[in-house]
């Protein structure tokens, strides 16, 4: 069994077994148990790295989704504030909009500013 570095992912190992060669080499070793222990450690390390990579990718997706929602919320808030100002309404008389989610802002527009629905 050989362990080689994958050039695309510098920190990840790929296991490339050639079973017959590996078994014959294992039988010729002075301490095959130590070799098997090292192989097991390498496999566990590889699995841990894969798990950490998957968790990091999931976190990146979560952050990207949150950023998109924040941009969408800011757009809706700007539309509401612009419309309120054009109608002579003091923006400070409106409820605090920054804490609302995108869905909550859509509901608020539907209930209080139905004329803005086409802009959503």
């Amino acid at each position: 069994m050989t362990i080689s570095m994958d050039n695309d992912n510098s920190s990840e190992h790929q296991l490339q077994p050639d079973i017959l060669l590996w078994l014959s080499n294992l039988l010729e070793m002075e301490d095959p148990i130590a070799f098997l222990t090292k192989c097991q450690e390498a496999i566990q390390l590889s699995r841990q790295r894969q798990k950490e990579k998957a968790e990091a990718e999931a976190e990146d997706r979560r952050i990207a989704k949150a950023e998109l929602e924040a941009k969408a919320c800011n757009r809706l808030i700007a539309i509401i504030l612009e419309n309120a100002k054009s109608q002579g309404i003091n923006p400070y008389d409106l409820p605090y909009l920054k804490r609302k989610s995108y869905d909550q802002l859509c509901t608020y527009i539907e209930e209080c500013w139905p004329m803005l629905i086409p802009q959503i």
Side-chain angles (χ1 to χ4, degrees):
M1 177 183 296
T2 60
I3 300 175
S4 65
M5 293 300 289
D6 183 4
N7 291 335
D8 293 335
N9 298 316
S10 61
S11 65
E12 290 187 23
H13 295 273
Q14 283 191 332
L15 301 178
Q16 302 171 345
D18 181 357
I19 299 298
L20 294 177
L21 179 61
W22 182 75
L23 286 174
S24 65
N25 287 337
L26 182 61
L27 294 173
E28 294 172 5
M29 293 185 168
E30 289 181 29
D31 189 2
I33 300 299
F35 175 75
L36 291 174
T37 302
K38 291 293 183 187
C39 288
Q40 181 182 13
E41 290 171 3
I43 291 169
Q44 288 173 342
L45 180 63
S46 176
R47 287 180 181 156
Q48 181 63 30
R49 286 185 176 149
Q50 289 174 350
K51 180 182 174 186
E52 290 170 358
K53 181 181 176 185
E55 289 171 353
E57 289 172 351
E59 180 66 12
D60 289 345
R61 285 190 300 274
R62 187 194 64 73
I63 290 170
K65 182 179 176 184
E67 288 173 351
L68 284 175
E69 181 165 346
K71 286 179 183 179
C73 288
N74 288 338
R75 182 182 148 271
L76 290 181
I77 291 169
I79 290 170
I80 293 167
L81 293 176
E82 182 180 317
N83 191 56
K85 287 179 187 177
S86 71
Q87 293 185 14
I89 298 172
N90 186 348
Y92 295 108
D93 292 338
L94 298 175
Y96 190 68
L97 301 174
K98 284 283 188 180
R99 291 188 185 146
K100 294 186 182 290
S101 70
Y102 182 82
D103 292 335
Q104 290 170 328
L105 286 170
C106 289
T107 301
Y108 174 71
I109 288 172
E110 289 170 1
E111 292 173 357
C112 300
W113 304 94
M115 73 289 280
L116 298 179
I117 292 174
Q119 294 181 37
I120 296 178

